[in-house]
Amino acid sequence: MNKRILSIANFIDINDKLIDVGCDHGYLGIYLIQNNLVSDILLTDISQSALNVAINNINKSHLNIKTLVTDGLNNIDLNKYNTISISGMGTTSIIKILNKLKNNNTINKLVIQSNNDLKLLREEIIKLGYYLDDEITLKENDIFYVICKFIKGNKKLSNDEIKFGLLKKDKIPYYNYLISQNNKILSLLPKDNIKDKQKLESEIIILNKLLEESR
Ligand SMILES: C[S@@+](CC[C@H](N)C(=O)[O-])C[C@H]1O[C@@H](n2cnc3c(N)ncnc32)[C@H](O)[C@@H]1O
């Protein structure tokens, strides 16, 4: 099992009744059921062919796991579940799916790994009435992943936390990576692009501060 899926599984508890939206291969669900780590689970995907791969993997593992072809949270009785995981999609798709949670009272945990724009992800999920409880940051195949756990409720984040997430020791390589990315872009910016230059430089100052504080 890859590190990214294991880290997502790390945020799932035995009492969770989980919907894994966009399960594709189904590895997360298979791992959770094989190891008795979840109370109930539904694996969904918008694509029948993706779900067929999951069904094939479930059968090969001699397991019994519910699956459903559907777009996001459509056609699912949310009252039967308390947790949602979405991983490997972009923030816009994730938010579009989660917007269905407006007026929902049963889903109290979201485990999300977005492929892009984590600032927007945090902002939008907070607007839906969840707070950022924890994050795991990892590097796999030269790509950094941040797995976010949101819990129903209110807790304010600082501007730095909205932008770069919770201050954690496992983020040190990630902060260093972001600094090097900003430096790379800075070196390619035209001299007269003062606005972007200032933005990138002020981000580097914040990231260096976070590095200091996380050590
Ligand atoms: C890159 S895969 C990620 C698979 C797995 N969650 C992971 O993290 O390895 C994204 C999956 O999301 C599915 N997907 C995309 N949009 C979706 C939607 N609106 N509802 C359900 N599934 C969706 C795709 O068909 C695809 O199988």
Side-chain angles (χ1 to χ4, degrees):
M1 189 60 55
N2 68 41
K3 271 201 288 183
R4 184 179 60 90
I5 300 280
L6 281 177
S7 300
I8 297 168
N10 210 40
F11 279 150
I12 304 299
D13 300 311
I14 185 67
N15 292 325
D16 290 347
K17 294 174 186 167
L18 174 70
I19 309 165
D20 184 31
V21 179
C23 70
D24 198 354
H25 36 66
Y27 291 155
L28 174 66
I30 291 171
Y31 174 79
L32 290 171
I33 292 291
Q34 270 176 336
N35 293 284
N36 293 316
L37 296 171
V38 71
S39 157
D40 190 13
I41 190 162
L42 171 67
L43 303 186
T44 79
D45 206 287
I46 197 169
S47 145
Q48 179 70 66
S49 61
L51 206 61
N52 285 344
V53 176
I55 292 168
N56 205 16
N57 288 335
I58 292 166
N59 290 340
K60 274 198 283 187
S61 308
H62 307 290
L63 297 171
N64 193 4
I65 303 179
K66 288 175 284 177
T67 59
L68 180 70
V69 175
T70 190
D71 180 356
L73 298 172
N74 291 344
N75 309 313
I76 299 174
D77 182 358
L78 293 180
N79 294 320
K80 292 186 178 161
Y81 299 91
N82 58 21
T83 305
I84 290 173
S85 57
I86 309 181
S87 58
M89 288 189 213
T91 288
T92 310
S93 308
I94 292 171
I95 296 305
K96 204 169 152 209
I97 292 168
L98 292 179
N99 271 331
K100 272 243 159 184
L101 291 180
K102 282 176 185 159
N103 306 319
N104 168 276
N105 283 318
T106 60
I107 305 296
N108 52 39
K109 177 162 72 176
L110 310 172
V111 179
I112 311 290
Q113 179 264 307
S114 170
N115 289 340
N116 58 26
D117 209 338
L118 298 184
K119 176 175 178 280
L120 182 68
L121 182 86
R122 296 184 189 103
E123 284 170 340
E124 292 301 314
I125 294 187
I126 286 169
K127 281 188 206 159
L128 289 171
Y130 295 81
Y131 66 87
L132 183 59
D133 180 62
D134 202 357
E135 288 179 324
I136 298 172
T137 306
L138 64 120
K139 190 178 181 187
E140 191 165 60
N141 303 326
D142 256 2
I143 299 172
F144 278 97
Y145 297 99
V146 181
I147 323 275
C148 304
K149 175 170 69 149
F150 294 90
I151 299 289
K152 189 107 183 151
N154 291 308
K155 223 186 251 180
K156 270 205 136 209
L157 289 184
S158 67
N159 288 340
D160 291 353
E161 285 172 326
I162 290 276
K163 203 159 189 182
F164 299 110
L166 301 178
L167 185 71
K168 291 191 71 176
K169 238 190 166 62
D170 71 354
K171 279 224 176 78
I172 290 176
Y174 178 62
Y175 295 144
N176 277 318
Y177 163 77
L178 293 176
I179 291 171
S180 71
Q181 284 299 101
N182 275 16
N183 277 324
K184 210 182 270 176
I185 301 168
L186 270 173
S187 72
L188 298 170
L189 269 188
K191 281 210 167 62
D192 56 352
N193 191 343
I194 309 289
K195 203 170 152 223
D196 285 342
K197 184 171 179 280
Q198 283 175 340
K199 182 174 167 273
L200 291 164
E201 282 172 346
S202 71
E203 276 186 11
I204 291 176
I205 292 171
I206 297 168
L207 285 162
N208 274 317
K209 187 190 79 172
L210 297 176
L211 263 180
E212 276 298 304
E213 290 171 2
S214 54
R215 281 201 177 105

